[in-house]
Amino acid sequence: MSPDTLLDLSRWQWALTAAFHITFPAVTVGTSVFLVVCYALYMRTDDDVWLRMFRFWRRIFAVGFTLGVVSGIVLTFEFGLNWGGFAHDVGPIVGVAVLMEVVMAFFLEAGFLGLLIYGEGRISKRMMMFSACMVSLGTMLSVTWILVANSWMQTPAGYKVVDGQFQPVNWLHVIFNPSFGIRFIHMLVGALVAAAWFICGISAWYFVKRRHLLIARRGLSVTLGVLSILVPLQIFIGDQVAGYVATYKLPQLEAMEGNWTSTNTGENMIVIPDQEAAKNELQLTIPWLGSAMGGKDWSGHTAIPGLDLTPKDLRPAVLPTFYSFRAMWWPTVPMIAVVLVAIALRLRGRLFSTRWFHKLLVGFVPIGFVAIWAGWVLAETGRQPWLVYGKLRTADAVSSLQPWSVLTSLIGFVVLYLALLGAYVWWVARTVREGPGEGPIVEPGAPSVALHSRLGLAPGS
């Protein structure tokens, strides 16, 4: 097998393990915030419905958190095993960012997760609330340090090169590199949007099945209210991210748009690119739209930059970059449509009685995660052929391994991760079918109503 085969296998293995891992931070960031909201409203109102919601979503959060931790450990090992050149060259910077995630985020989450899961009825409500806040803060700190490391790879700053190794000279510049701020906000809001659709779709399923309607009503109301704010906000933030790409990574923008020459004022919807011949075998374009959206020129006279501005050996692969951008962007169209319909139904007092709308929302459970996966594919493929943009090529960072060993581990990861993902989906589906429970709320450790009845005692005696 050729060196290119080794590089391709290593990249596929990283892509698989990273895509699997990013699913769970996307779930846990948003659900942890929802847990804080539910428990805060329970403390404020003493309404048992909020407590049921808290307990129900806590179960789903805990399993997702566990899988996220386990899959994250795999990624750290891959840095050293599959990408030895990368680990050596950027270890003093990226290694520190990963370590800070462990110290600041994982330890914080692990320290309070036990209290969050098992502390109810054993610690005060204030301490439960504090634990929920700390776990949620930990998930956000985890995202912060992941984005610090990845954004530095996109727009490196605050370093010097000593004997082929990147060493920090200004940690503020390293952390707050040119792309960190907008990419962090984009990822954080994206995670909140994904979790909101997840919770919203499951709440809608209960409406379809006519079960747990009070809990479903509150879950649907809260999440659709949040989405009516966050979805338009995320579209605006995404436009700002495109501005950063145009400034710092123009070849990625060129590949995103699928233009080989800088003459197209339209928006390409479908292309079949020929990377070697530097042309599209098939191209379906909406005239004028590219100039309006990308160039902010509503007259339609501004052309979108093409790959003719970039040397051939520095061009990203057009096929994955072009379609990952659309897989991230296009879902926002039905998102906005659904949000607008939800607002109209709420104003007319029909949000909780329109059955076809509830069925539609069930299908939106995975839509936010699809957008996040596509966004990460876009960020990584659009940076190629660089691992540290403009400084360290991907081909120079891979470990010298036997291709068959990488292929063997790749197959093993495919089998294992498909099994884990299938088990997680099955468990979530079973938990949703079981529901948040009915009957009176019983504090953990307290005698049940049934036990009181058998003993001939009044509840609470």
Side-chain angles (χ1 to χ4, degrees):
M1 294 186 182
S2 67
D4 288 342
T5 302
L6 171 62
L7 177 61
D8 291 341
L9 289 172
S10 296
R11 289 184 63 194
W12 272 108
Q13 181 165 301
W14 176 263
L16 168 71
T17 51
F20 182 82
H21 170 69
I22 200 63
T23 304
F24 299 103
V27 172
T28 56
V29 168
T31 52
S32 70
V33 174
F34 191 66
L35 290 177
V36 170
V37 171
C38 288
Y39 203 79
L41 290 171
Y42 165 63
M43 287 184 64
R44 180 180 178 182
T45 63
D46 203 31
D47 187 340
D48 289 346
V49 174
W50 292 114
L51 182 58
R52 290 186 192 280
M53 294 173 68
F54 170 79
R55 290 177 175 177
F56 174 72
W57 288 105
R58 179 178 59 184
R59 294 166 62 191
I60 294 176
F61 167 83
V63 175
F65 174 84
T66 303
L67 286 174
V69 170
V70 172
S71 58
I73 292 173
V74 172
L75 289 177
T76 59
F77 275 98
E78 283 190 54
F79 279 138
L81 295 176
N82 289 67
W83 300 96
F86 173 77
H88 172 269
D89 290 356
V90 305
I93 292 178
V94 174
V96 172
V98 173
L99 176 63
M100 291 302 295
E101 184 204 359
V102 173
V103 173
M104 293 183 64
F106 176 69
F107 284 176
L108 182 63
E109 293 168 311
F112 287 95
L113 183 65
L115 294 177
L116 179 68
I117 296 175
Y118 301 111
E120 189 184 350
R122 299 174 178 86
I123 59 177
S124 68
K125 290 181 180 179
R126 289 181 180 273
M127 191 62 196
M128 277 291 294
M129 185 66 199
F130 183 72
S131 299
C133 290
M134 290 300 100
V135 170
S136 183
L137 176 62
T139 64
M140 294 184 188
L141 286 174
S142 180
V143 172
T144 300
W145 287 106
I146 290 172
L147 265 295
V148 166
N150 190 267
S151 296
W152 183 85
M153 292 163 61
Q154 307 283 346
T155 51
Y159 69 93
K160 63 179 179 180
V161 179
V162 179
D163 297 328
Q165 190 174 60
F166 296 84
Q167 296 185 1
V169 295
N170 188 319
W171 274 108
L172 285 178
H173 290 172
V174 169
I175 295 171
F176 299 102
N177 59 76
S179 65
F180 167 73
I182 192 64
R183 294 185 75 240
F184 169 72
I185 296 172
H186 192 45
M187 179 61 201
L188 181 60
V189 175
L192 294 175
V193 167
W197 284 117
F198 181 60
I199 296 169
C200 178
I202 290 174
S203 299
W205 186 82
Y206 285 130
F207 269 105
V208 173
K209 297 298 182 181
R210 310 303 297 171
R211 297 172 55 199
H212 311 295
L213 293 183
L214 188 55
I215 287 174
R217 183 187 183 97
R218 294 189 184 181
L220 201 69
S221 180
V222 170
T223 53
L224 285 174
V226 168
L227 287 166
S228 67
I229 298 171
L230 291 186
V231 171
L233 177 62
Q234 182 71 330
I235 293 174
F236 171 77
I237 296 170
D239 186 63
Q240 305 307 302
V241 173
Y244 125 75
V245 172
T247 302
Y248 293 97
K249 297 170 60 186
L250 185 59
Q252 177 178 329
L253 179 67
E254 296 163 358
M256 282 165 49
E257 297 299 337
N259 293 315
W260 296 96
T261 61
S262 303
T263 57
N264 188 8
T265 61
E267 174 72 8
N268 293 331
M269 307 302 288
I270 297 174
V271 301
I272 299 178
D274 184 334
Q275 192 85 17
E276 287 299 317
K279 66 177 184 179
N280 291 325
E281 297 292 344
L282 174 67
Q283 180 171 315
L284 178 62
T285 304
I286 298 179
W288 172 82
L289 188 59
S291 176
M293 293 177 57
K296 305 295 186 292
D297 178 8
W298 295 90
S299 69
H301 295 143
T302 300
I304 303 302
L307 285 158
D308 57 342
L309 302 176
T310 301
K312 187 174 183 179
D313 64 328
L314 298 181
R315 295 171 181 171
V318 172
L319 186 66
T321 308
F322 179 87
Y323 284 107
S324 60
F325 172 64
R326 278 143 188 80
M328 178 186 68
W329 158 242
W330 284 351
T332 62
V333 176
M335 286 185 194
I336 280 289
V338 167
V339 163
L340 292 175
V341 171
I343 293 173
L345 290 174
R346 191 191 294 268
L347 293 176
R348 297 175 64 184
R350 296 175 53 192
L351 180 61
F352 307 115
S353 60
T354 307
R355 194 171 178 82
W356 67 264
F357 185 63
H358 301 152
K359 293 180 179 179
L360 176 65
L361 289 176
V362 174
F364 274 64
V365 166
I367 193 169
F369 304 117
V370 171
I372 287 176
W373 291 329
W376 276 99
V377 171
L378 172 62
E380 297 305 295
T381 58
R383 190 183 59 225
Q384 300 305 313
W386 305 100
L387 209 49
V388 177
Y389 191 73
K391 305 297 178 181
L392 176 64
R393 285 180 178 262
T394 306
D396 297 330
V398 68
S399 299
S400 297
L401 301 172
Q402 291 296 325
W404 64 264
S405 66
V406 181
L407 177 61
T408 301
S409 60
L410 173 59
I411 294 172
F413 276 123
V414 169
V415 173
L416 175 62
Y417 279 10
L418 283 177
L420 286 175
L421 184 61
Y424 176 71
V425 171
W426 171 84
W427 184 86
V428 170
R430 190 190 73 169
T431 302
V432 170
R433 285 195 299 268
E434 290 176 353
E438 302 288 356
I441 292 286
V442 178
E443 293 293 334
S448 67
V449 173
L451 177 59
H452 276 96
S453 178
R454 289 196 299 270
L455 295 177
L457 302 173
S461 61

